[in-house]
Structures are given as structure tokens and as C-alpha cells.
Amino acid sequence: MSVDTQTRMNLSATLASVSVAGCLVLAKLWALGTTNALSIAASLADSALDLMVSLGGLAAVAYAARPPDEDHAFGHSSAEDLAALGQSLFILISAAAIAVAAMLRLTGEAPPLEAEGRGIAVMVLSVVLTAGLVTWQARVARKTGNRVVQADRLHYLGDLIPNIGAILALWASARFGLGQVDSVVALGAAGMLAVGAVRIGLSAWNALMDRRADPRLVEGIAAIADRWPDVRGWHDLKTRTAGSRVFVNLHIELDGDQPLRDAHAIGAGLRREILHHYPHADVIIHKDPDDEPEEDPA
């Protein structure tokens, strides 16, 4: 698959994500005004977050197609982490507001829910659209391996739970008059939002602080270097993350007496192999002469 085809598929997935999130925000705003249900408020906050995340993903995919410039030799992917920190703060504030409102309703007299049928219809629409979106994102992610699309898909998969919970809360209110179920579902959704916010915020903070990449990725690169032909050893394997990119620096030890062209070919082949396994990486390989003399096989 060509790079242009991959870019088009990734853009189609992120554009679909933005479109679905925008439609759901508008539908849930109407449903919230109609039903006065906190569970829908929680779902609305989650959809608003989805819209921001999807817009960030769309910008990241479009930005990733741009080459580094004179002022940003390593690209612009750290902007993703700055945006993620802002998003995590927004999520925490939204989760706290929903949790406080839910607790007040549980401890006091909750206003009755209204037009539950309309609210259920909107939430069913939300589930259907979300399921269709994650199906398309899964197909794109399998073909392109794009990490932004994969992360966006996981986020939308998590959204199915509060949406289904809102449907159950509205059904319980309409069928049995159990309006308090709405507040319980809202509390659960607020907890999920808070956990997601902390996870996103910590990940972005670690990236901005140049924390090393996933240990499994580091071990995988080390294993590739260990078995690569004509590499006598390696050292100073360093990694850092920025947005969806992983930057890798690796020193390999080669026969110092071989032609420069041969040494370059060894390093280039190793780099291609690492990128084959980790296409989201940016790899720099330094070549050092091996100080240990090669043993005479005789």
C-alpha cells in the first residue's frame, strides 16, 4: 500500500470520527434539554471530549504528512501531547461537575425525568453510529497501522458502555419510575471519564518529559539488533516519545576495517527492519568501530 493511500485512509477514518462526534453532540444536547437526564449529560460530556480528541487526531494525521522544517527538525508531534494535557483537564472538570450533580440528586429530591422515549432513541442512535465508526476504524488500522486511528478506536469502544448505561437508566425511569438509576449511571460515567483523563494526562506528561518508550518496544528493538548480521554489539539504545511518534537512537558496533559503504549498508538494513516492526518510529543509528579484534578461526 502506497504512502498516499495510507494517508487517505487515515484521513477518512479521522474525518468519520469528527463527523460522528459532531452529530452526537448535537443530538445529545437536544436529548438533555428534553429529558433532563444526568446520564445523558455524562454521555454528552463524553461525546464533546470525543469531538475534541477526534479533531486533534485529524490535525495530527494531517500534520504527520508534513516534513520537519528548519525550526522543528524532529517534527511537530509534541503538539499532540500539549493538546492532550488540556483535554485531560477539561475531562476532569466535566467529570467532577457531573459527579457533584449526581450526588446532589441522590441525597436530595431529584427532578423527574421527562420524554424518556426520545432520550432512548437518541442514545440508540449514538450506539449505532459508534459501532459503525469503530468497525471502519478497525479496518483502517489493520491496513495502515496508524496509532492515532487505533487510539481513537479504543476511545470510542469505551464510549459504548456509558451510552448503553444511559439507555438502561431512561428505560428504568419510564418503566418503573426509578429516576435515581439515572444518577447512579451518571456517577459511574463520571468515574470512567476521570480515569480516562488521568491516563491521558499522565501519558502526555511523560512524553513531554522525554520518558522512554514502552519497555516492550525497547526490548523488541534490542532483540532485532542482537540478531542482525555483522553487528558485533550495540550500546546506548535511547528512546523518547512525542505524540504518536517514538524517537530511537542506537549505537551499533561494526568491523572498523570494512569499507564505509558496507558499514552504511548494515546500518541501513537494520534501520529498515526496525521500521518494518515499528512504523511509527523515527530511527537514527550511529556506527562505531568494534575495538575487539576478530578471532582467527584457525
Side-chain angles (χ1 to χ4, degrees), residues 113-120 166-179 181-182:
L113 302 186
E114 302 172 354
E116 291 94 337
R118 297 178 185 178
I120 291 174
I167 293 174
L168 294 176
L170 291 168
W171 176 79
S173 174
R175 183 71 174 81
F176 303 106
L178 299 176
V181 174
D182 173 63

XYZ file of all heavy atoms in Angstrom, residues 113-120 166-179 181-182:
175
model
N -37.565 12.702 35.424
C -37.129 12.665 34.034
C -38.341 12.793 33.119
O -39.456 12.417 33.480
C -36.384 11.360 33.745
C -35.157 11.063 34.606
C -34.454 9.806 34.104
C -34.186 12.231 34.621
N -38.094 13.344 31.948
C -39.184 13.563 31.009
C -38.811 13.006 29.645
O -37.636 12.887 29.303
C -39.480 15.069 30.889
C -39.850 15.736 32.210
C -39.944 17.247 32.071
O -39.608 17.755 30.985
O -40.349 17.891 33.049
N -39.822 12.659 28.866
C -39.645 12.223 27.477
C -38.536 11.180 27.357
O -37.640 11.296 26.521
C -39.356 13.429 26.577
N -38.633 10.154 28.211
C -37.578 9.129 28.199
C -37.453 8.443 26.837
O -36.348 8.067 26.415
C -37.856 8.070 29.271
C -37.705 8.561 30.705
C -39.031 9.031 31.287
O -39.930 9.390 30.487
O -39.173 9.053 32.525
N -38.587 8.276 26.151
C -38.548 7.608 24.854
C -37.672 8.342 23.856
O -36.922 7.724 23.091
N -37.749 9.670 23.841
C -36.905 10.448 22.935
C -35.433 10.300 23.303
O -34.570 10.193 22.425
C -37.317 11.916 22.976
C -38.737 12.187 22.495
C -39.078 13.656 22.614
N -40.473 13.929 22.261
C -41.031 15.126 22.329
N -40.310 16.170 22.734
N -42.297 15.282 21.984
N -35.174 10.325 24.600
C -33.790 10.153 25.039
C -33.234 8.795 24.643
O -32.080 8.674 24.208
N -34.069 7.757 24.797
C -33.633 6.411 24.409
C -33.346 6.354 22.914
O -32.358 5.756 22.478
C -34.700 5.372 24.811
C -34.756 5.236 26.334
C -34.404 4.015 24.158
C -35.873 4.332 26.834
N -26.921 4.812 29.797
C -27.941 5.860 29.726
C -29.272 5.299 29.227
O -30.344 5.688 29.701
C -27.456 6.981 28.806
N -29.201 4.370 28.265
C -30.427 3.736 27.765
C -31.130 2.978 28.893
O -32.352 3.078 29.077
C -30.104 2.791 26.589
C -29.619 3.600 25.382
C -31.327 1.958 26.210
C -29.133 2.742 24.227
N -30.351 2.226 29.675
C -30.934 1.467 30.785
C -31.549 2.388 31.832
O -32.614 2.091 32.389
C -29.855 0.578 31.420
C -29.312 -0.553 30.542
C -28.185 -1.297 31.254
C -30.438 -1.528 30.171
N -30.873 3.522 32.112
C -31.386 4.452 33.110
C -32.711 5.059 32.656
O -33.669 5.179 33.440
C -30.359 5.554 33.373
N -32.781 5.455 31.400
C -34.016 6.034 30.878
C -35.146 4.995 30.838
O -36.307 5.304 31.132
C -33.769 6.606 29.478
C -32.873 7.858 29.422
C -32.478 8.152 27.984
C -33.587 9.052 30.033
N -34.802 3.763 30.487
C -35.811 2.687 30.455
C -36.334 2.410 31.856
O -37.541 2.240 32.053
C -35.197 1.432 29.852
C -36.128 0.256 29.882
C -37.159 -0.020 29.040
C -36.108 -0.810 30.847
N -37.785 -1.182 29.396
C -37.165 -1.695 30.507
C -35.316 -1.103 31.945
C -37.433 -2.842 31.237
C -35.576 -2.244 32.684
C -36.627 -3.101 32.321
N -35.417 2.369 32.856
C -35.841 2.118 34.237
C -36.748 3.229 34.744
O -37.712 2.984 35.487
C -34.619 1.984 35.140
N -36.480 4.475 34.324
C -37.332 5.589 34.740
C -38.712 5.500 34.094
O -39.739 5.709 34.753
C -36.660 6.912 34.367
O -37.509 8.013 34.629
N -38.738 5.191 32.803
C -40.017 5.122 32.089
C -40.846 3.920 32.511
O -42.074 4.008 32.627
C -39.755 5.090 30.579
N -40.187 2.781 32.764
C -40.917 1.532 33.031
C -41.287 1.382 34.499
O -42.379 0.936 34.833
C -40.044 0.351 32.600
C -40.701 -1.005 32.740
C -41.804 -1.174 31.696
N -42.352 -2.514 31.721
C -43.273 -2.947 32.579
N -43.742 -2.117 33.505
N -43.731 -4.170 32.514
N -40.344 1.767 35.392
C -40.566 1.509 36.824
C -40.556 2.784 37.669
O -40.726 2.712 38.885
C -39.498 0.562 37.372
C -39.424 -0.752 36.629
C -38.370 -1.015 35.761
C -40.408 -1.715 36.787
C -38.297 -2.217 35.072
C -40.343 -2.917 36.104
C -39.286 -3.166 35.236
N -40.312 3.928 37.042
C -40.250 5.161 37.813
C -39.004 5.288 38.674
O -38.993 6.050 39.651
N -37.952 4.573 38.342
C -36.712 4.594 39.126
C -35.787 5.685 38.586
O -34.806 5.427 37.886
C -36.019 3.233 39.061
C -36.829 2.052 39.619
C -36.083 0.736 39.405
C -37.093 2.270 41.109
N -36.092 6.934 38.933
C -35.292 8.052 38.452
C -33.888 8.085 39.022
O -32.975 8.656 38.420
N -31.790 5.747 39.234
C -30.843 4.971 38.427
C -30.040 5.901 37.523
O -28.854 5.681 37.265
C -31.585 3.913 37.583
C -30.640 3.205 36.629
C -32.274 2.906 38.500
N -30.689 6.978 37.077
C -30.003 7.954 36.226
C -28.782 8.525 36.924
O -27.701 8.650 36.336
C -30.985 9.064 35.845
C -30.316 10.201 35.102
O -29.810 9.951 33.999
O -30.289 11.327 35.637
